[in-house]
Amino acid sequence: ALPICFPVTIPEVSKICFCDLLTAFSIVNFSAGLGLVWVLSGIWSMQREKQGLKIYLASLPAVLYLSSLLYADIVFDFFAFFTLFNLLKYAKTNTGKFLVIASVTAGISIFVKYNGIALMLVGVLFIVWFHFTSGKLRLAWKPVLLYMLFPALYLIFWKYYNGIS
């Protein structure tokens, strides 16, 4: 089944690239695959100086192959890893902008596939764990609410649109 965000992005890519919808779908998947490689190299290089090239070269053929197929998984993986990447940046810098970016990308990952709900819950657990290990557990409620904002808004909209049962 097509994920929800593709009906929004595919016609736009089709118009921009002057191609049919199937080719536009492939372009979106390929772009997400390249973005996934970029995010993976960023995660890898956060801990080790200039080691990002190794994971980039190691994952490029597999990601390119998977992104050439017409699956939504590669797009979901891009948003999931980008969410985790920004959560790691938040843990290193304790800056709210990375938490907002992680919240938005977690919401988009739910928009792509409903497996993103698990990503939302893992992000909450990560934030609580981060504040627990830093000895500031009582201050964790604000970042958790900030992180939950966009995914919760999407889920509320989805329940309203599909009818509350």
Side-chain angles (χ1 to χ4, degrees):
L2 284 175
I4 296 171
C5 80
F6 284 132
V8 175
T9 58
I10 298 302
E12 297 304 319
V13 171
S14 175
K15 291 175 190 173
I16 291 170
C17 296
F18 304 106
C19 59
D20 61 353
L21 294 176
L22 192 60
T23 305
F25 191 79
S26 297
I27 290 170
V28 168
N29 268 354
F30 185 75
S31 301
L34 290 179
L36 178 61
V37 169
W38 172 73
V39 170
L40 288 174
S41 66
I43 290 173
W44 185 263
S45 64
M46 284 179 75
Q47 295 297 329
R48 295 175 181 89
E49 295 279 329
K50 303 190 190 225
Q51 296 293 321
L53 187 61
K54 290 180 183 178
I55 195 164
Y56 182 83
L57 293 176
S59 66
L60 188 62
V63 171
L64 286 179
Y65 172 72
L66 290 174
S67 64
S68 69
L69 303 174
L70 298 179
Y71 297 129
D73 296 328
I74 199 78
V75 179
F76 170 75
D77 290 343
F78 166 70
F79 286 115
F81 277 104
F82 197 61
T83 300
L84 297 175
F85 177 65
N86 282 295
L87 283 173
L88 287 172
K89 284 180 129 181
Y90 167 73
K92 285 185 109 174
T93 63
N94 206 7
T95 307
K97 72 177 180 179
F98 295 119
L99 199 57
V100 170
I101 293 170
S103 175
V104 170
T105 55
I108 292 172
S109 73
I110 296 171
F111 196 58
V112 174
K113 284 182 85 171
Y114 292 112
N115 299 346
I117 294 172
L119 180 66
M120 177 182 71
L121 298 175
V122 166
V124 168
L125 291 175
F126 176 80
I127 293 168
V128 170
W129 175 79
F130 167 68
H131 284 281
F132 175 75
T133 57
S134 66
K136 300 176 183 176
L137 185 59
R138 58 180 161 62
L139 300 176
W141 67 273
K142 286 181 187 177
V144 166
L145 287 179
L146 183 63
Y147 176 73
M148 291 284 294
L149 179 67
F150 288 103
L153 285 176
Y154 172 71
L155 289 174
I156 290 169
F157 168 75
W158 179 73
K159 286 299 280 181
Y160 175 75
Y161 182 75
N162 289 321
I164 299 172
S165 55

